[in-house]
Amino acid sequence: MSETRGNRIVPVLVMLIAIVAIWYAGTYFMNAPFQRDLDRRAEVERSSGDLFLATMTQAKPTLPAPHQVAANFFENTFLRKITSNRSLIYHAGVTLSSTLLGFVIGTVLGILIAVGIVHFTSLDRSLMPWIIASQTIPILALAPMIIVVLAAVNLTGLLPKALISTYLSFFPVAVGMVKGLRSPEIINLDLMHTYHASKAQTFWKLRLPASVPFLFASMKVAIAASLVGAIVGELPTGAVAGIGAKLLAGSYYSQTIDMFAALVAGSLVAVLLVTAVDVVGRIVERRMGARPA
């Protein structure tokens, strides 16, 4: 058991160390030209070692060093009051609210669309191509239009951002549920037909239970997409709170360290959300009689 865990952890640690090393190298090469220019203007001469250290401690670097991002993240996560507008927990909570609302709406919409597609051939032929085509529209182009249109009818705040999250999250759920609802084998469907089961009985007793693994697999993709939608939705709204607002403010004032710390916070929120969906999925599947992997 310990060997298996070691075999899983070691590759992750090696990859993490490689990423950090490449990050530090990129920090040096991207910050060095600006640091040399500063030294030239101040008539300061540095050794190679001093130049390397200087590139790692710039106040507004082109690419912040990992330790700068880590220090900023720690300060704005653990040393700030949650109600402070500099707290990453506060901003993450604002983004999380629209993420969860959009995810719930998108999941329900995706399930309803999938049920319709599976039971009505006309919907499969007419609706599915449009669903696929809808995902080819860049969300950065669509989000401002959604914000402007909803603002014209006095819908502002949480709902517009949630609808952008819905737009990104319903698609994986719909596609996954369609595959799940169609996953029962012909022999099982023939057995239900032999029992004179109605379409509703076949759905509740066979198709829906068979689709549960597909549903939770697609929900893990959907919850991450929903978070991306919520962050993107905060950019054109002029929001003053949220991870997207934090990124936008950082870009205005060249606070790259704050921007990277906000990205780390968003990544951790995504990990927690995906993990939560995975845990719920495992619990549901075990209660349905599935064997643990």
Coordinates of all heavy atoms in Angstrom, one line a residue, residues 66-162:
P66 N 8.1 32.4 -7.7 CA 7.1 31.6 -6.9 C 7.1 32.0 -5.5 O 6.0 32.0 -4.9 CB 7.7 30.2 -7.1 CG 8.4 30.2 -8.4 CD 9.0 31.6 -8.5
H67 N 8.2 32.4 -4.8 CA 8.2 32.8 -3.4 C 7.4 34.1 -3.2 O 6.8 34.3 -2.2 CB 9.6 32.8 -2.9 CG 10.4 33.9 -3.4 ND1 11.2 33.8 -4.6 CD2 10.6 35.2 -3.0 CE1 11.8 34.9 -4.8 NE2 11.5 35.8 -3.9
Q68 N 7.4 35.0 -4.2 CA 6.7 36.2 -4.1 C 5.2 35.9 -4.1 O 4.4 36.5 -3.4 CB 7.1 37.2 -5.2 CG 8.5 37.8 -5.1 CD 8.8 38.7 -6.3 OE1 8.8 38.2 -7.5 NE2 9.0 39.9 -6.0
V69 N 4.8 35.1 -5.0 CA 3.4 34.7 -5.1 C 2.9 34.0 -3.9 O 1.8 34.3 -3.3 CB 3.1 33.8 -6.4 CG1 1.7 33.4 -6.4 CG2 3.5 34.5 -7.6
A70 N 3.8 33.1 -3.4 CA 3.4 32.3 -2.2 C 3.3 33.3 -1.0 O 2.3 33.1 -0.2 CB 4.5 31.3 -1.9
A71 N 4.2 34.2 -0.8 CA 4.1 35.2 0.3 C 2.9 36.1 0.2 O 2.2 36.3 1.2 CB 5.4 36.1 0.3
N72 N 2.5 36.5 -1.0 CA 1.4 37.3 -1.2 C 0.1 36.5 -0.9 O -0.8 37.0 -0.3 CB 1.3 37.9 -2.6 CG 0.2 38.8 -2.9 OD1 -1.0 38.4 -3.0 ND2 0.5 40.1 -3.0
F73 N 0.1 35.3 -1.4 CA -1.1 34.4 -1.2 C -1.3 34.2 0.3 O -2.4 34.3 0.8 CB -0.9 33.1 -1.9 CG -2.0 32.1 -1.7 CD1 -3.2 32.2 -2.4 CD2 -1.9 31.1 -0.7 CE1 -4.2 31.3 -2.2 CE2 -2.9 30.2 -0.5 CZ -4.1 30.3 -1.2
F74 N -0.2 33.9 1.0 CA -0.3 33.7 2.5 C -0.8 34.9 3.2 O -1.7 34.8 4.1 CB 1.1 33.2 3.0 CG 1.1 32.9 4.5 CD1 0.6 31.7 5.0 CD2 1.5 33.9 5.4 CE1 0.6 31.4 6.3 CE2 1.4 33.6 6.8 CZ 1.0 32.4 7.2
E75 N -0.2 36.0 2.9 CA -0.6 37.3 3.5 C -2.1 37.6 3.3 O -2.8 37.9 4.3 CB 0.2 38.4 3.0 CG -0.1 39.8 3.6 CD 0.7 40.9 3.0 OE1 1.6 40.7 2.2 OE2 0.4 42.1 3.3
N76 N -2.6 37.5 2.1 CA -3.9 37.9 1.7 C -5.0 36.8 2.0 O -6.1 37.1 1.8 CB -4.0 38.3 0.3 CG -3.3 39.6 0.0 OD1 -3.2 40.5 0.8 ND2 -2.6 39.7 -1.2
T77 N -4.5 35.7 2.4 CA -5.4 34.6 2.8 C -5.5 34.4 4.3 O -6.6 34.3 4.8 CB -5.0 33.3 2.1 OG1 -4.9 33.4 0.7 CG2 -5.9 32.1 2.5
F78 N -4.4 34.4 5.0 CA -4.4 34.1 6.4 C -4.2 35.3 7.3 O -4.5 35.2 8.5 CB -3.3 33.0 6.7 CG -3.5 31.7 5.9 CD1 -2.7 31.5 4.8 CD2 -4.5 30.8 6.3 CE1 -2.9 30.3 4.1 CE2 -4.6 29.7 5.6 CZ -3.9 29.4 4.5
L79 N -3.6 36.4 6.8 CA -3.3 37.5 7.6 C -4.3 38.7 7.4 O -4.1 39.7 8.0 CB -1.9 38.0 7.4 CG -0.8 37.0 7.6 CD1 0.6 37.6 7.3 CD2 -0.8 36.3 9.0
R80 N -5.3 38.5 6.6 CA -6.3 39.5 6.4 C -7.6 39.1 7.0 O -7.9 37.9 7.0 CB -6.5 39.8 4.9 CG -5.2 40.2 4.1 CD -4.9 41.6 4.3 NE -3.7 42.0 3.5 CZ -3.1 43.2 3.6 NH1 -3.5 44.1 4.5 NH2 -2.0 43.4 2.9
K81 N -8.4 40.1 7.4 CA -9.8 39.7 7.8 C -10.6 39.3 6.6 O -10.4 39.8 5.5 CB -10.4 41.0 8.5 CG -9.8 41.4 9.8 CD -10.6 42.5 10.4 CE -10.0 42.9 11.7 NZ -10.8 44.1 12.3
I82 N -11.5 38.3 6.8 CA -12.3 37.8 5.7 C -13.1 38.9 5.0 O -13.4 38.9 3.8 CB -13.2 36.7 6.2 CG1 -12.3 35.5 6.7 CG2 -14.1 36.2 5.1 CD1 -13.1 34.3 7.2
T83 N -13.5 39.9 5.8 CA -14.3 41.0 5.3 C -13.5 42.1 4.6 O -14.1 43.0 3.9 CB -15.1 41.7 6.4 OG1 -14.2 42.1 7.4 CG2 -16.1 40.7 7.0
S84 N -12.2 42.0 4.6 CA -11.3 42.9 3.9 C -11.4 42.8 2.4 O -11.4 41.6 1.9 CB -9.9 42.8 4.4 OG -9.0 43.6 3.7
N85 N -11.4 43.9 1.7 CA -11.4 43.8 0.3 C -10.1 43.3 -0.3 O -10.0 43.2 -1.6 CB -11.8 45.1 -0.4 CG -10.9 46.3 0.0 OD1 -9.9 46.1 0.7 ND2 -11.2 47.4 -0.5
R86 N -9.1 43.1 0.5 CA -7.8 42.6 0.0 C -7.7 41.1 0.3 O -6.7 40.4 -0.1 CB -6.6 43.3 0.7 CG -6.6 44.8 0.3 CD -5.2 45.4 0.6 NE -4.1 44.7 -0.1 CZ -2.9 45.0 0.0 NH1 -2.5 45.9 0.9 NH2 -1.9 44.4 -0.7
S87 N -8.7 40.6 1.0 CA -8.7 39.1 1.4 C -9.0 38.3 0.2 O -10.1 38.5 -0.4 CB -9.6 38.9 2.6 OG -9.8 37.5 2.8
L88 N -8.2 37.3 -0.1 CA -8.5 36.4 -1.2 C -9.7 35.5 -0.8 O -10.4 35.0 -1.7 CB -7.3 35.6 -1.5 CG -6.1 36.3 -2.2 CD1 -4.9 35.4 -2.4 CD2 -6.6 36.8 -3.6
I89 N -9.9 35.2 0.4 CA -11.0 34.4 0.8 C -12.3 35.2 0.5 O -13.3 34.6 0.1 CB -11.0 34.1 2.3 CG1 -9.7 33.2 2.6 CG2 -12.2 33.4 2.8 CD1 -9.5 32.9 4.1
Y90 N -12.3 36.5 0.8 CA -13.5 37.3 0.5 C -13.8 37.3 -1.0 O -14.9 37.1 -1.4 CB -13.2 38.7 1.0 CG -14.2 39.8 0.5 CD1 -15.5 39.8 1.0 CD2 -13.9 40.7 -0.5 CE1 -16.4 40.7 0.5 CE2 -14.8 41.6 -1.0 CZ -16.0 41.6 -0.5 OH -16.9 42.6 -0.9
H91 N -12.8 37.5 -1.8 CA -13.0 37.5 -3.3 C -13.4 36.2 -3.8 O -14.2 36.1 -4.7 CB -11.7 38.0 -3.9 CG -11.4 39.5 -3.8 ND1 -12.1 40.5 -4.4 CD2 -10.5 40.1 -3.0 CE1 -11.6 41.6 -4.1 NE2 -10.6 41.5 -3.2
A92 N -12.8 35.1 -3.2 CA -13.1 33.8 -3.7 C -14.6 33.4 -3.3 O -15.3 32.8 -4.1 CB -12.2 32.7 -3.0
G93 N -15.0 33.9 -2.2 CA -16.4 33.7 -1.8 C -17.4 34.4 -2.7 O -18.5 33.8 -3.0
V94 N -17.1 35.6 -3.2 CA -17.9 36.3 -4.1 C -18.0 35.5 -5.4 O -19.1 35.3 -6.0 CB -17.4 37.7 -4.3 CG1 -18.2 38.4 -5.5 CG2 -17.5 38.5 -3.1
T95 N -16.9 35.1 -5.9 CA -16.9 34.3 -7.2 C -17.6 32.9 -7.0 O -18.3 32.5 -7.9 CB -15.4 34.1 -7.6 OG1 -14.8 35.3 -7.8 CG2 -15.4 33.3 -8.9
L96 N -17.4 32.4 -5.8 CA -18.0 31.0 -5.5 C -19.5 31.1 -5.6 O -20.2 30.1 -6.0 CB -17.5 30.5 -4.2 CG -18.0 29.1 -3.8 CD1 -17.4 28.1 -4.7 CD2 -17.5 28.8 -2.4
S97 N -20.1 32.2 -5.1 CA -21.6 32.3 -5.1 C -22.2 32.2 -6.5 O -23.1 31.4 -6.7 CB -22.0 33.6 -4.4 OG -21.5 34.7 -5.1
S98 N -21.6 33.0 -7.4 CA -22.1 32.9 -8.8 C -21.7 31.6 -9.5 O -22.5 31.1 -10.3 CB -21.5 34.1 -9.6 OG -20.1 34.1 -9.5
T99 N -20.6 31.0 -9.1 CA -20.2 29.7 -9.6 C -21.2 28.6 -9.3 O -21.6 27.9 -10.2 CB -18.8 29.3 -9.1 OG1 -17.8 30.3 -9.5 CG2 -18.4 27.9 -9.6
L100 N -21.6 28.6 -8.0 CA -22.5 27.5 -7.6 C -23.9 27.7 -8.2 O -24.5 26.7 -8.6 CB -22.5 27.5 -6.1 CG -21.3 27.1 -5.3 CD1 -21.4 27.2 -3.8 CD2 -20.8 25.7 -5.8
L101 N -24.3 28.9 -8.2 CA -25.7 29.2 -8.8 C -25.7 28.8 -10.3 O -26.6 28.1 -10.8 CB -26.0 30.6 -8.7 CG -27.4 31.1 -9.3 CD1 -28.5 30.2 -8.6 CD2 -27.7 32.5 -9.0
G102 N -24.6 29.2 -11.0 CA -24.5 28.9 -12.4 C -24.4 27.4 -12.7 O -25.0 26.8 -13.6
F103 N -23.7 26.7 -11.8 CA -23.5 25.3 -11.9 C -24.8 24.5 -11.6 O -25.1 23.6 -12.4 CB -22.4 24.8 -10.8 CG -22.3 23.3 -10.7 CD1 -21.8 22.6 -11.7 CD2 -22.7 22.7 -9.5 CE1 -21.6 21.2 -11.6 CE2 -22.6 21.3 -9.4 CZ -22.1 20.6 -10.4
V104 N -25.6 24.9 -10.7 CA -26.8 24.3 -10.4 C -27.8 24.5 -11.6 O -28.4 23.5 -12.0 CB -27.5 24.9 -9.1 CG1 -28.9 24.4 -8.9 CG2 -26.7 24.5 -7.9
I105 N -27.9 25.7 -12.1 CA -28.8 25.9 -13.2 C -28.3 25.1 -14.4 O -29.1 24.5 -15.2 CB -28.8 27.4 -13.6 CG1 -29.4 28.2 -12.4 CG2 -29.7 27.7 -14.8 CD1 -29.4 29.7 -12.6
G106 N -27.0 25.2 -14.7 CA -26.4 24.4 -15.8 C -26.6 22.9 -15.7 O -26.9 22.3 -16.7
T107 N -26.5 22.4 -14.5 CA -26.7 21.0 -14.4 C -28.1 20.5 -14.6 O -28.4 19.6 -15.3 CB -26.2 20.5 -12.9 OG1 -24.8 20.9 -12.7 CG2 -26.4 19.1 -12.7
V108 N -29.0 21.3 -14.0 CA -30.4 21.0 -14.3 C -30.8 21.1 -15.7 O -31.5 20.3 -16.3 CB -31.3 21.9 -13.4 CG1 -32.8 21.7 -13.8 CG2 -31.1 21.7 -11.9
L109 N -30.3 22.2 -16.4 CA -30.6 22.4 -17.8 C -30.0 21.3 -18.6 O -30.6 20.8 -19.6 CB -30.0 23.8 -18.2 CG -30.2 24.1 -19.7 CD1 -31.7 24.2 -20.0 CD2 -29.5 25.5 -20.0
G110 N -28.7 20.9 -18.3 CA -28.1 19.9 -19.1 C -28.8 18.5 -19.0 O -29.0 17.8 -19.9
I111 N -29.3 18.2 -17.8 CA -30.0 16.9 -17.6 C -31.3 17.0 -18.3 O -31.7 16.0 -19.0 CB -30.3 16.7 -16.1 CG1 -29.0 16.4 -15.3 CG2 -31.3 15.6 -15.8 CD1 -29.1 16.4 -13.8
L112 N -32.1 18.1 -18.3 CA -33.3 18.2 -19.0 C -33.1 18.0 -20.5 O -33.9 17.4 -21.2 CB -34.0 19.5 -18.7 CG -34.5 19.7 -17.2 CD1 -35.1 21.0 -17.0 CD2 -35.6 18.6 -16.9
I113 N -32.1 18.7 -21.0 CA -31.8 18.6 -22.5 C -31.4 17.2 -22.8 O -31.9 16.6 -23.9 CB -30.6 19.6 -22.8 CG1 -31.1 21.0 -22.7 CG2 -30.1 19.3 -24.2 CD1 -30.0 22.0 -22.9
A114 N -30.6 16.5 -22.0 CA -30.2 15.1 -22.3 C -31.4 14.2 -22.3 O -31.6 13.3 -23.2 CB -29.2 14.7 -21.3
V115 N -32.3 14.3 -21.3 CA -33.5 13.5 -21.3 C -34.4 13.7 -22.5 O -34.9 12.7 -23.2 CB -34.4 13.8 -20.0 CG1 -35.7 13.1 -20.1 CG2 -33.6 13.4 -18.8
G116 N -34.5 15.0 -23.0 CA -35.3 15.2 -24.2 C -34.6 14.6 -25.4 O -35.3 14.1 -26.3
I117 N -33.3 14.7 -25.5 CA -32.6 14.2 -26.7 C -32.7 12.7 -26.8 O -32.9 12.1 -27.9 CB -31.1 14.7 -26.6 CG1 -31.0 16.2 -26.9 CG2 -30.3 13.9 -27.6 CD1 -29.6 16.7 -26.8
V118 N -32.6 12.0 -25.6 CA -32.6 10.6 -25.6 C -34.0 10.1 -26.0 O -34.2 9.0 -26.7 CB -32.2 10.0 -24.2 CG1 -32.5 8.6 -24.1 CG2 -30.7 10.3 -24.0
H119 N -35.1 10.7 -25.5 CA -36.4 10.2 -25.7 C -37.1 10.8 -27.0 O -38.2 10.2 -27.4 CB -37.3 10.6 -24.5 CG -37.0 9.7 -23.3 ND1 -36.0 10.1 -22.4 CD2 -37.5 8.5 -22.9 CE1 -35.9 9.1 -21.5 NE2 -36.8 8.2 -21.7
F120 N -36.6 11.8 -27.6 CA -37.2 12.4 -28.8 C -36.2 12.5 -29.9 O -35.2 13.3 -29.8 CB -37.8 13.7 -28.5 CG -38.9 13.7 -27.4 CD1 -38.6 14.1 -26.1 CD2 -40.2 13.3 -27.7 CE1 -39.5 14.0 -25.1 CE2 -41.2 13.3 -26.8 CZ -40.8 13.7 -25.5
T121 N -36.3 11.7 -30.9 CA -35.4 11.7 -32.0 C -35.3 13.0 -32.7 O -34.2 13.4 -33.1 CB -35.8 10.6 -33.1 OG1 -36.0 9.4 -32.4 CG2 -34.7 10.5 -34.1
S122 N -36.4 13.8 -32.8 CA -36.4 15.1 -33.4 C -35.4 16.0 -32.7 O -34.7 16.8 -33.3 CB -37.8 15.7 -33.5 OG -38.3 15.8 -32.2
L123 N -35.4 16.0 -31.4 CA -34.5 16.8 -30.6 C -33.1 16.4 -30.8 O -32.2 17.3 -30.9 CB -34.9 16.8 -29.1 CG -36.1 17.5 -28.7 CD1 -36.3 17.3 -27.2 CD2 -36.1 19.0 -29.0
D124 N -32.8 15.2 -30.9 CA -31.5 14.7 -31.2 C -30.9 15.2 -32.5 O -29.8 15.6 -32.6 CB -31.4 13.1 -31.2 CG -30.0 12.6 -31.2 OD1 -29.1 13.4 -31.0 OD2 -29.9 11.4 -31.5
R125 N -31.7 15.3 -33.5 CA -31.3 15.7 -34.8 C -31.3 17.2 -34.9 O -30.4 17.8 -35.7 CB -32.2 15.1 -35.9 CG -32.1 13.6 -36.0 CD -33.1 13.1 -37.0 NE -33.0 11.6 -37.1 CZ -33.8 10.9 -37.9 NH1 -34.8 11.5 -38.6 NH2 -33.7 9.6 -38.0
S126 N -32.1 17.9 -34.2 CA -32.3 19.4 -34.4 C -31.5 20.1 -33.3 O -30.9 21.2 -33.6 CB -33.7 19.8 -34.4 OG -34.3 19.4 -33.1
L127 N -31.6 19.7 -32.1 CA -31.0 20.4 -30.9 C -29.5 20.2 -30.7 O -28.8 21.1 -30.4 CB -31.8 20.1 -29.7 CG -31.5 21.0 -28.4 CD1 -31.8 22.5 -28.8 CD2 -32.3 20.6 -27.2
M128 N -29.1 18.9 -30.8 CA -27.7 18.6 -30.5 C -26.7 19.4 -31.3 O -25.7 19.9 -30.8 CB -27.5 17.1 -30.7 CG -26.3 16.6 -30.0 SD -26.3 16.8 -28.2 CE -24.8 16.1 -27.6
P129 N -26.9 19.5 -32.7 CA -25.9 20.3 -33.4 C -25.8 21.7 -33.0 O -24.7 22.3 -32.9 CB -26.5 20.2 -34.9 CG -27.3 19.0 -34.9 CD -27.9 18.9 -33.5
W130 N -26.9 22.3 -32.6 CA -26.9 23.7 -32.1 C -26.2 23.8 -30.7 O -25.6 24.8 -30.4 CB -28.3 24.3 -32.0 CG -28.9 24.6 -33.3 CD1 -29.9 23.9 -34.0 CD2 -28.6 25.6 -34.2 NE1 -30.2 24.4 -35.2 CE2 -29.4 25.5 -35.3 CE3 -27.7 26.7 -34.1 CZ2 -29.3 26.4 -36.4 CZ3 -27.6 27.6 -35.2 CH2 -28.4 27.5 -36.3
I131 N -26.4 22.8 -29.9 CA -25.7 22.8 -28.6 C -24.2 22.8 -28.8 O -23.4 23.5 -28.1 CB -26.2 21.6 -27.7 CG1 -27.6 21.7 -27.4 CG2 -25.3 21.4 -26.5 CD1 -28.2 20.5 -26.6
I132 N -23.8 21.9 -29.7 CA -22.3 21.8 -30.0 C -21.8 23.1 -30.6 O -20.8 23.6 -30.2 CB -22.1 20.6 -31.0 CG1 -22.4 19.3 -30.3 CG2 -20.6 20.6 -31.4 CD1 -22.4 18.1 -31.2
A133 N -22.6 23.7 -31.5 CA -22.2 25.0 -32.2 C -22.1 26.1 -31.2 O -21.3 27.0 -31.3 CB -23.2 25.3 -33.3
S134 N -23.0 26.1 -30.1 CA -23.0 27.1 -29.1 C -21.6 27.2 -28.4 O -21.2 28.3 -28.0 CB -24.1 26.9 -28.1 OG -23.8 25.8 -27.3
Q135 N -20.9 26.1 -28.3 CA -19.7 26.1 -27.5 C -18.5 26.6 -28.4 O -17.4 26.7 -27.9 CB -19.4 24.7 -27.0 CG -20.4 24.2 -26.1 CD -20.7 25.1 -24.9 OE1 -19.8 25.4 -24.1 NE2 -21.9 25.6 -24.7
T136 N -18.7 26.9 -29.7 CA -17.7 27.5 -30.5 C -17.6 29.0 -30.4 O -16.6 29.6 -30.9 CB -17.9 27.1 -32.0 OG1 -19.1 27.7 -32.4 CG2 -18.0 25.6 -32.1
I137 N -18.6 29.6 -29.7 CA -18.5 31.1 -29.5 C -17.6 31.4 -28.4 O -17.8 30.9 -27.3 CB -20.0 31.6 -29.3 CG1 -20.9 31.2 -30.4 CG2 -19.9 33.1 -29.1 CD1 -22.4 31.6 -30.1
P138 N -16.6 32.3 -28.6 CA -15.7 32.6 -27.5 C -16.5 33.3 -26.3 O -17.2 34.2 -26.5 CB -14.7 33.6 -28.1 CG -14.8 33.3 -29.6 CD -16.2 32.9 -29.9
I139 N -16.3 32.8 -25.1 CA -17.0 33.3 -24.0 C -16.6 34.8 -23.7 O -17.4 35.5 -23.2 CB -16.7 32.4 -22.7 CG1 -17.6 32.8 -21.6 CG2 -15.2 32.5 -22.3 CD1 -19.1 32.7 -21.8
L140 N -15.4 35.2 -24.1 CA -14.9 36.6 -23.9 C -15.7 37.5 -24.8 O -15.9 38.7 -24.4 CB -13.4 36.7 -24.2 CG -12.5 36.1 -23.1 CD1 -11.1 36.2 -23.6 CD2 -12.7 36.8 -21.8
A141 N -16.2 37.0 -25.9 CA -17.0 37.8 -26.8 C -18.5 37.8 -26.4 O -19.2 38.8 -26.5 CB -16.9 37.3 -28.2
L142 N -18.9 36.7 -25.8 CA -20.3 36.6 -25.4 C -20.7 37.2 -24.1 O -21.8 37.8 -23.9 CB -20.7 35.1 -25.4 CG -22.2 34.7 -25.2 CD1 -23.0 35.2 -26.4 CD2 -22.3 33.2 -25.0
A143 N -19.7 37.2 -23.1 CA -20.0 37.7 -21.8 C -20.4 39.1 -21.8 O -21.4 39.5 -21.1 CB -18.8 37.5 -20.9
P144 N -19.7 40.1 -22.5 CA -20.2 41.5 -22.4 C -21.6 41.6 -23.0 O -22.3 42.5 -22.5 CB -19.1 42.2 -23.3 CG -17.9 41.3 -23.3 CD -18.4 39.9 -23.2
M145 N -21.9 40.9 -24.0 CA -23.3 41.0 -24.6 C -24.3 40.6 -23.6 O -25.4 41.2 -23.5 CB -23.4 40.2 -25.9 CG -22.5 40.7 -27.0 SD -22.8 39.9 -28.6 CE -22.1 38.3 -28.3
I146 N -24.0 39.5 -22.9 CA -25.0 39.0 -21.9 C -25.2 40.1 -20.8 O -26.3 40.4 -20.3 CB -24.5 37.7 -21.3 CG1 -24.5 36.6 -22.3 CG2 -25.4 37.3 -20.1 CD1 -24.0 35.2 -21.8
I147 N -24.1 40.6 -20.3 CA -24.1 41.7 -19.3 C -24.9 42.9 -19.7 O -25.8 43.4 -19.0 CB -22.7 42.1 -18.9 CG1 -21.9 40.9 -18.3 CG2 -22.7 43.2 -17.9 CD1 -22.4 40.3 -17.1
V148 N -24.7 43.3 -21.0 CA -25.3 44.5 -21.5 C -26.8 44.3 -21.6 O -27.7 45.1 -21.2 CB -24.7 45.0 -22.8 CG1 -25.5 46.1 -23.5 CG2 -23.3 45.5 -22.6
V149 N -27.2 43.1 -22.2 CA -28.6 42.8 -22.5 C -29.4 42.7 -21.1 O -30.5 43.3 -21.0 CB -28.7 41.5 -23.3 CG1 -30.2 41.1 -23.3 CG2 -28.2 41.8 -24.7
L150 N -28.8 42.0 -20.2 CA -29.5 41.9 -18.9 C -29.5 43.2 -18.1 O -30.5 43.4 -17.4 CB -28.8 40.8 -18.1 CG -28.9 39.4 -18.6 CD1 -28.2 38.4 -17.7 CD2 -30.3 38.9 -18.8
A151 N -28.5 44.0 -18.3 CA -28.5 45.3 -17.6 C -29.6 46.2 -18.1 O -30.2 47.0 -17.4 CB -27.2 46.0 -17.7
A152 N -29.9 46.0 -19.4 CA -31.0 46.8 -20.0 C -32.4 46.5 -19.4 O -33.3 47.4 -19.5 CB -31.0 46.6 -21.6
V153 N -32.5 45.3 -18.9 CA -33.8 44.9 -18.2 C -33.6 44.9 -16.7 O -34.4 44.2 -16.0 CB -34.3 43.6 -18.8 CG1 -34.7 43.7 -20.2 CG2 -33.3 42.5 -18.6
N154 N -32.6 45.7 -16.2 CA -32.4 45.8 -14.8 C -32.0 44.5 -14.1 O -32.4 44.4 -12.9 CB -33.6 46.5 -14.1 CG -33.9 47.9 -14.6 OD1 -32.9 48.6 -14.9 ND2 -35.1 48.3 -14.7
L155 N -31.4 43.6 -14.8 CA -30.8 42.4 -14.1 C -29.3 42.6 -14.0 O -28.6 42.4 -15.0 CB -31.2 41.2 -14.9 CG -32.7 40.7 -14.9 CD1 -32.9 39.5 -15.8 CD2 -33.1 40.4 -13.5
T156 N -28.9 42.9 -12.8 CA -27.5 43.0 -12.5 C -27.1 42.2 -11.3 O -27.9 41.6 -10.7 CB -27.1 44.5 -12.3 OG1 -27.9 45.0 -11.2 CG2 -27.4 45.3 -13.5
G157 N -25.8 42.2 -11.0 CA -25.3 41.5 -9.8 C -25.0 40.1 -10.1 O -24.2 39.7 -11.0
L158 N -25.6 39.2 -9.3 CA -25.2 37.8 -9.3 C -25.7 37.1 -10.5 O -25.0 36.2 -11.0 CB -25.7 37.1 -8.0 CG -25.4 35.6 -7.8 CD1 -23.9 35.4 -7.6 CD2 -26.2 35.1 -6.6
L159 N -26.9 37.3 -10.9 CA -27.5 36.5 -12.0 C -26.8 36.6 -13.3 O -26.6 35.5 -13.9 CB -29.0 37.0 -12.1 CG -29.8 36.1 -13.1 CD1 -29.9 34.7 -12.7 CD2 -31.2 36.7 -13.3
P160 N -26.4 37.7 -13.8 CA -25.7 37.7 -15.1 C -24.4 36.9 -15.1 O -24.1 36.1 -16.0 CB -25.3 39.2 -15.3 CG -26.3 40.0 -14.5 CD -26.6 39.1 -13.3
K161 N -23.6 36.9 -14.0 CA -22.4 36.1 -13.9 C -22.8 34.6 -13.8 O -22.1 33.8 -14.4 CB -21.6 36.5 -12.6 CG -21.0 37.9 -12.7 CD -20.2 38.2 -11.5 CE -20.9 38.3 -10.2 NZ -20.1 38.7 -9.1
A162 N -23.9 34.3 -13.1 CA -24.3 32.9 -13.0 C -24.8 32.4 -14.3 O -24.5 31.2 -14.6 CB -25.5 32.8 -12.0

